[in-house]
Amino acid sequence: MLTSGSETERITEYTHDGLVFDVLDQGPLDGPVVLLLHGFPERASSWSAVMAILNDAGMRTIAPDQRGYSPRARPRRRRDYRVGALVGDVIALIDRIGRPVHVVGHDWGANIAWVTAGRRPDLALSLTAFSVPHPGAFMTGLLSSKQILHSWYFAFFQLPILPEKWMARPGQRAEKWYGRSGMTADDLERTRTEIVEYGALPFAVTWYRGLPFSNPGIGRLRITVPTSMVWSDGDTFITRSAIENAQRYVDAAYTLTVLPGISHWIPTQASRAAAAAILTNAELAVMQGFDTDSSA
């Protein structure tokens, strides 16, 4: 149940499950709210360029540093990073906002966005997912395509300590891996300062370690709000075959947009296209009656 709204004050942090999360809150306080969920290995700042465009369009944007990324929200147990716990953090933030929102996610954030919209459609006006499809579509891709070859690091990240040590070494293989995925020099520097030096890396990796503790039922969730799936053909992590199965899980208006020549890192490298997709989906949601008044 939604509490009273936060239209007269900024949300700079919120508390859930005994943890404190840092939040970026920008744009007109009375504007429609776009909730932006970052991926791995990034923080809320990865949405900065997208937020500026949305703010100019009259949207209020709220982007949290999620569990493990916020310094005061770093539990150590693997089970504390199961998908249900991560979704619970998002639901708590929407409750703090006090009204339904347009849910947006990239990479891991997209996975959490899909599950949030599936479990609590009353809180989601629309869903825009970047790079990562519905959990069921992703699992189907793992079993029926070359997706499993692109997801080798899921298994590697289950090892203790070694993955974060490997990724924290500047100029080593991990950074070359990032570079092959399309990360620019600026992206790499941001990862060094905002993830490695910030102390978030071991906890960010634990998102993968929490997967065995997650409810497999998330792969069967139905989505009943207007949905936009945005994928880029330069993505080295997610194959198109996995993306094309996403529509099977959506019982509402659905759009697939393919960005040519763009890598996996859509929010920073194709911010205008990303913002346009969010705005178009939000407009569609309003046209179809998925506005704040009808969803409250």
Side-chain angles (χ1 to χ4, degrees):
M1 182 175 182
L2 293 174
T3 60
S4 59
S6 299
E7 297 182 6
T8 60
E9 60 179 15
R10 293 292 178 196
I11 299 174
T12 58
E13 62 181 44
Y14 76 101
T15 303
H16 177 245
D17 202 18
L19 307 172
V20 181
F21 299 83
D22 298 323
V23 179
L24 295 179
D25 181 352
Q26 298 176 183
L29 285 168
D30 60 349
V33 178
V34 179
L35 179 60
L36 299 153
L37 305 174
H38 65 78
F40 171 90
E42 297 182 300
R43 287 169 46 203
S45 60
S46 64
W47 292 107
S48 294
V50 175
M51 293 174 77
I53 298 169
L54 296 178
N55 297 156
D56 287 343
M59 310 291 276
R60 179 182 178 186
T61 55
I62 296 180
D65 278 350
Q66 297 183 80
R67 184 174 293 222
Y69 293 85
S70 289
R72 294 172 290 173
R74 292 177 177 173
R76 295 187 175 276
R77 299 184 309 170
R78 293 170 59 194
R79 66 175 61 251
D80 290 328
Y81 293 85
R82 63 195 184 279
V83 169
L86 302 171
V87 171
D89 296 337
V90 173
I91 291 173
L93 177 53
I94 300 175
D95 185 60
R96 171 70 182 276
I97 295 167
R99 51 188 168 124
V101 302
H102 297 283
V103 182
V104 179
H106 171 246
D107 187 79
W108 249 112
N111 186 52
I112 302 306
W114 282 104
V115 179
T116 300
R119 287 186 174 173
R120 294 295 305 272
D122 58 308
L123 303 182
L125 302 175
S126 68
L127 167 65
T128 305
F130 291 96
S131 303
V132 171
H134 185 285
F138 183 76
M139 289 303 300
T140 299
L142 283 177
L143 298 174
S144 61
S145 72
K146 295 181 179 179
Q147 179 59 56
I148 194 169
L149 299 177
H150 293 262
S151 301
W152 61 269
Y153 54 93
F154 276 58
F156 175 55
F157 286 174
Q158 299 303 313
L159 298 175
I161 303 176
L162 179 61
E164 46 265 52
K165 284 192 173 183
W166 176 70
M167 297 178 70
R169 295 175 180 173
Q172 298 300 313
R173 291 182 180 179
E175 290 198 351
K176 293 179 180 178
W177 176 52
Y178 285 147
R180 289 194 297 270
S181 76
M183 268 196 176
T184 65
D186 288 342
D187 292 331
L188 289 170
E189 179 59 28
R190 187 161 45 83
T191 298
R192 291 188 202 105
T193 58
E194 295 192 3
I195 301 298
V196 178
E197 295 174 9
Y198 199 59
L201 184 57
F203 306 97
V205 172
T206 306
W207 280 47
Y208 294 89
R209 295 172 180 149
L211 280 171
F213 298 93
S214 300
N215 187 339
I218 61 176
R220 298 187 295 271
L221 289 171
R222 306 301 303 180
I223 307 300
T224 57
V225 299
T227 300
S228 177
M229 177 73 241
V230 183
W231 178 76
S232 43
D233 64 8
D235 197 316
T236 60
F237 300 117
I238 306 294
T239 63
R240 179 155 187 162
S241 58
I243 295 296
E244 289 177 341
N245 285 318
Q247 186 173 5
R248 295 169 46 194
Y249 298 88
V250 181
D251 301 321
Y254 177 84
T255 302
L256 170 62
T257 300
V258 178
L259 303 179
I262 303 297
S263 77
H264 177 78
W265 313 101
I266 296 173
T268 57
Q269 297 180 9
S271 54
R272 291 189 179 279
I278 296 167
L279 289 169
T280 299
N281 202 30
E283 291 170 0
L284 176 61
V286 172
M287 290 173 58
Q288 295 194 350
F290 288 84
D291 53 32
T292 304
D293 293 336
S294 64
S295 300

